[in-house]
Amino acid sequence: MRVLVVAAPLLGHVFPVMPLALALREAGHEVLVATGGEALRVRDSGLPVEDVVPSNVRFGPIALRIMLTHPLVAKRELRGSGRLDFVSRLFGTVGDAMTAPLRTLSDRWRPDVVVHEPLAAAGSALGVPSVVHDVSLFDGLELTAAVGGRMKAEVRSPATVLRTSPRSLAEFAGGEPMRFVPYSGDGAVPDWLAGPSGRPRILVSRSTAPGPGAGRMMAAVVRAAERVDAEFVLVRPGRTDGLPENVRTVGWVPIPRVLPFCDGIVHHGGAGTVLGALAAGVPQLVEPGPGDRTVHATAVTARGAGLRAEAREVTPDLLTTLIEDAKLQRAAGEVRAEIAAMPSPAAVADRWESVLQQAQNSRE
């Protein structure tokens, strides 16, 4: 079977769909990934990757245009209460730009089915049966419908949806459960980071996508770090000078390989990092913010698997709680076990035809 995997041109959107794409190839299917921009880095996976995003598509100018045209929508989005108003406009515009290149690719390659992440709704506009691959704690069907509703192309209802969210954090009707498997490509891990440090370790990460205030949380952690009995590791920091003795820095690293040697992680609330930390059973401190970040911070806190704080609320006591609170550790471990019990991408790939057939039968 030929499977076309479609993702928006951002690393945080293409990385989560790669474990299934690789598993489908291992199961004997022919797989082609279609994306663009920085997401083309997944060519390192060995899968064929097609660029379907015009070079003039840039998120910054698109977002600015929406903010100027719809200031109230933009204000709600920056507060983290925008729901889907802003994101649907943003990715609807990107989806419109992707549609024609995707249709040209589809006509040439002739896929049997398209798998796409929710914000790449153009994947369901090709006249080919489609499957939505959830990549966050939002309902992928709702996201796809919202983005598709903003697009010029007709976006059809997908055959089914693959649910990667652990039910104790977010449960949605219908679809097929599938374990979230963290993926961040290849990359070297320094020897000192590839094992325990001998003292508690807190990883501090930030978004791969540009945006306002991207470095605030990392700066706040640095200010508090010297009064915490832990080793801090900053991933891709904006500055490396004048840091406390217990703060180290590292460039790009595959975070899923590092998390097992961490006692906590502080991050921006992106879906991949949230789910990756949950899969590793590591307590997390999540910064609420635009897009899905506030929803993620709220869900993690409600489950008891982490904490929620803005940069101005970060204190040594809060960071100490992150790595010492037994309730956080227990809840994070429970979610890890919950995720591990879900069917793996390999298991889903091994019964791929039956997944599609069951979906078709349920629609008839």
Side-chain angles (χ1 to χ4, degrees):
M1 181 177 293
R2 287 190 162 192
V3 184
L4 180 62
V5 178
V6 182
L10 294 169
L11 289 175
H13 291 242
V14 72
F15 276 169
V17 301
M18 291 304 294
L20 177 63
L22 291 165
L24 286 168
R25 181 186 63 179
E26 290 300 311
H29 301 286
E30 194 173 350
V31 179
L32 176 63
V33 179
T35 186
E38 64 179 12
L40 296 174
R41 270 187 49 184
V42 295
R43 285 172 173 154
D44 294 343
S45 68
L47 286 175
V49 179
E50 289 275 345
D51 187 351
V52 293
V53 181
S55 59
N56 63 346
V57 174
R58 293 184 296 155
F59 281 92
I62 296 172
L64 179 60
R65 188 161 57 249
I66 296 170
M67 293 174 73
L68 294 175
T69 308
H70 304 280
L72 293 180
V73 169
K75 186 176 181 179
R76 289 194 296 269
E77 178 70 9
L78 291 173
R79 286 202 310 257
S81 60
R83 291 299 298 166
L84 305 181
D85 288 345
F86 185 90
V87 72
S88 62
R89 287 178 167 88
L90 178 63
F91 285 93
T93 301
V94 175
D96 279 333
M98 293 174 65
T99 300
L102 273 172
R103 284 176 172 167
T104 299
L105 173 60
S106 181
D107 290 343
R108 169 168 57 85
W109 196 65
R110 298 195 176 281
D112 299 296
V113 64
V114 177
V115 175
H116 67 87
E117 52 94 3
L119 297 182
S124 282
L126 305 180
V128 177
S130 61
V131 174
V132 171
H133 185 316
D134 271 354
V135 296
S136 70
L137 301 180
F138 273 92
D139 182 351
L141 294 181
E142 183 183 2
L143 277 173
T144 299
V147 175
R150 300 284 184 187
M151 292 173 55
K152 298 173 184 176
E154 180 187 359
V155 175
R156 301 181 179 181
S157 297
T160 190
V161 56
L162 302 174
R163 302 292 195 187
T164 55
S165 171
R167 289 185 173 181
S168 66
L169 275 90
E171 184 172 5
F172 308 108
E176 291 279 335
M178 187 178 74
R179 183 189 314 161
F180 176 84
V181 174
Y183 179 94
S184 59
D186 295 326
V189 177
D191 290 342
W192 60 268
L193 195 53
S197 69
R199 68 190 299 193
R201 174 182 285 154
I202 299 177
L203 198 69
V204 187
S205 179
R206 60 189 179 89
S207 176
T208 57
R216 282 185 305 216
M217 180 59 88
M218 191 171 283
V221 171
V222 169
R223 287 193 295 270
E226 62 183 346
R227 288 174 287 165
V228 181
D229 183 17
E231 174 189 76
F232 291 82
V233 180
L234 311 183
V235 181
R236 299 178 296 108
R239 52 171 287 230
T240 59
D241 59 305
L243 298 175
E245 171 275 331
N246 62 332
V247 177
R248 307 181 73 168
T249 65
V250 68
W252 180 276
V253 291
I255 288 179
R257 288 170 51 192
V258 173
L259 276 175
F261 309 111
C262 298
D263 300 274
I265 179 171
V266 180
H267 62 90
H268 63 291
T273 311
V274 166
L275 289 167
L278 292 171
V282 176
Q284 50 192 301
L285 173 58
V286 186
E287 179 186 19
D292 54 8
R293 300 175 187 182
T294 295
V295 170
H296 289 155
T298 301
V300 168
T301 305
R303 181 60 181 82
L307 304 169
R308 162 188 170 143
E310 296 181 10
R312 59 184 172 80
E313 299 172 317
V314 171
T315 64
D317 286 345
L318 184 68
L319 295 172
T320 300
T321 298
L322 176 66
I323 55 176
E324 292 187 358
D325 190 294
K327 291 181 179 178
L328 290 180
Q329 295 167 358
R330 182 167 58 251
E334 290 169 354
V335 178
R336 175 181 57 193
E338 181 184 358
I339 292 174
M342 297 171 71
S344 69
V348 172
D350 284 343
R351 59 184 189 87
W352 188 242
E353 288 88 351
S354 67
V355 168
L356 298 180
Q357 186 59 55
Q358 288 174 13
Q360 184 61 36
N361 292 342
S362 67
R363 290 167 62 87
E364 291 177 352

